[in-house]
Amino acid sequence: MRTNQLIIALFQRFCWLDEGLQSRLHDRGWPDISRPQSMIMTNIASGIVRPSDIARNLGVSRQAIHSTINQMVRLGVVRLEVDPRDRRHMIVSLTELGARMRRDAQRAMDALTGQLAEKLGQDRFDALLEALEADWGDNIERQPAAAGRA
């Protein structure tokens, strides 16, 4: 079984997509953004707007998300505001500049998706998406440390 290859292959293909996206945005004159910034924009575009929910979705700390969001606020692509439905929470949204960048990013992703579907063939591409979107079950829980191990 090629168990170690799965995580490497998934990560390499993720990097292929992200690097293609970044390259296309750069070619259109957008400032370079980091991979974490790109992932935050993807979450916002998907409707996940609370920093704590974005952090949970990406598996990183709230502090790391807030640091990245603050960088993006300085770039002028997002704003951080009090959630009008629950003033105890903040929400992050795209500015007009960020929305324009997101539209270009969507066009770039459409082109990359088309390129991938052409390369793999539509049937294999559809099967890939189906496998990635399938319910993989609960994540493996950490086992308690064995007695006597520190």
Side-chain angles (χ1 to χ4, degrees), residues 36-100:
Q37 291 169 343
S38 178
M39 295 311 304
I40 287 174
M41 289 188 82
T42 300
N43 275 267
I44 295 168
S46 299
I48 302 166
V49 296
R50 284 188 176 170
S52 59
D53 293 339
I54 295 171
R56 188 174 18 269
N57 194 39
L58 296 178
V60 298
S61 71
R62 288 190 324 242
Q63 294 82 0
I65 289 299
H66 278 286
S67 174
T68 304
I69 288 170
N70 288 333
Q71 294 167 3
M72 296 172 76
V73 167
R74 287 190 293 277
L75 287 172
V77 294
V78 300
R79 70 177 67 83
L80 193 58
E81 302 169 313
V82 173
D83 185 340
R85 292 177 292 186
D86 185 346
R87 301 192 63 72
R88 296 172 297 167
H89 296 280
M90 302 295 283
I91 58 171
V92 61
S93 60
L94 298 176
T95 62
E96 179 54 38
L97 178 68
R100 287 195 320 267

Side-chain angles (χ1 to χ4, degrees), residues 7 17 62 80 88 106 118 136 144 147:
I7 195 165
L17 276 171
R62 288 190 324 242
L80 193 58
R88 296 172 297 167
Q106 186 59 59
E118 185 177 315
W136 290 12

